[in-house]
Amino acid sequence: MIERPLVPPPSAVAENELLEGNECIVIVDDFPDLVGLIQEFLDNHGLPTVTANSADALRRQLVEQEVALVLLDIGLPDADGSSLLPELKQNQPDLAVIMLTAVTDVHTALACLRLGADDYLVKPVQFTDLLATLHRVLEKRRLTIRNRQYQRQIEQANFRIQLAHELAMKMNTAYLSTTELDEV
């Protein structure tokens, strides 16, 4: 992997807006040199990272950390990274996953995408491509979460409006009934 100079983020959204609170990115690969390079690069761009070298270590990190995104290698010592995708998505539906692997097979890439991966990058990865992909995937994740929050707010507001309407109708009915009694 060739070290590239630090580049500004490809999107208008700053790194600190892509992650909420204490969220971080988990880099999962059993090749420590690659993990170190990616971790240093992402840390330099203000994206907090933690690492895992196996599927079990990833599971521990998911319990211990608030994880927004996983950079997941397919070839792990204790599991096939692509077989972890359904488990990851079932346990944490908002978790973004980018497959980062040396496997260049199109069928494998498509299978990973079908299983829930948000993207698929081939090693050796160019840092500019990695950063652009991270931004796009994290921005999509952020928008999806916010959209769901807004949808809940709209549903709550709609419920309150319907309730107020029903109360107004009952009050109107009670008033009309009182007025009719007065006339009698």
Side-chain angles (χ1 to χ4, degrees):
M1 186 179 316
I2 298 172
E3 183 69 30
R4 295 230 168 191
L6 298 179
V7 294
S11 90
V13 178
E15 278 88 352
N16 61 2
E17 294 177 10
L18 293 172
L19 300 173
E20 301 277 334
N22 295 324
E23 288 182 327
C24 65
I25 296 170
V26 179
I27 305 165
V28 187
D29 200 306
D30 58 342
F31 190 61
D33 292 339
L34 175 65
V35 170
L37 287 171
I38 293 173
Q39 186 172 29
E40 181 180 346
F41 176 76
L42 295 179
D43 286 345
N44 287 339
H45 279 81
L47 295 166
T49 59
V50 293
T51 63
N53 61 2
S54 66
D56 286 337
L58 169 61
R59 288 182 185 106
R60 281 192 303 275
Q61 290 291 9
L62 291 172
V63 170
E64 297 170 4
Q65 306 287 331
E66 291 181 40
V67 179
L69 183 138
V70 175
L71 286 171
L72 182 59
D73 186 21
I74 287 182
L76 297 173
D78 58 345
D80 178 345
S82 59
S83 67
L84 288 173
L85 285 169
E87 172 190 338
L88 295 175
K89 288 298 189 171
Q90 180 180 2
N91 294 338
Q92 296 185 350
D94 290 329
L95 181 68
V97 179
I98 298 173
M99 302 305 292
L100 185 63
T101 182
V103 178
T104 59
D105 179 37
V106 173
H107 296 292
T108 304
L110 289 174
C112 289
L113 294 172
R114 286 184 188 119
L115 290 171
D118 294 281
D119 211 328
Y120 187 96
L121 295 173
V122 178
K123 293 188 258 183
V125 66
Q126 298 296 318
F127 284 144
T128 53
D129 294 341
L130 175 62
L131 190 60
T133 301
L134 281 170
H135 271 263
R136 185 179 43 72
V137 169
L138 286 172
E139 175 69 5
K140 177 184 172 192
R141 175 185 178 269
R142 184 178 67 86
L143 292 172
T144 300
I145 291 170
R146 290 220 174 125
N147 186 33
R148 190 178 321 113
Q149 291 169 342
Y150 292 143
Q151 183 65 35
R152 274 193 297 252
Q153 290 172 350
I154 289 170
E155 289 170 1
Q156 290 170 350
N158 190 32
F159 172 76
R160 287 191 296 266
I161 289 169
Q162 286 178 341
L163 183 61
H165 176 72
E166 288 175 17
L167 288 173
M169 293 299 289
K170 287 182 180 183
M171 288 173 55
N172 190 27
T173 302
Y175 173 75
L176 290 176
S177 296
T178 304
T179 304
E180 289 174 359
L181 282 175
D182 288 342
E183 290 177 5
V184 170

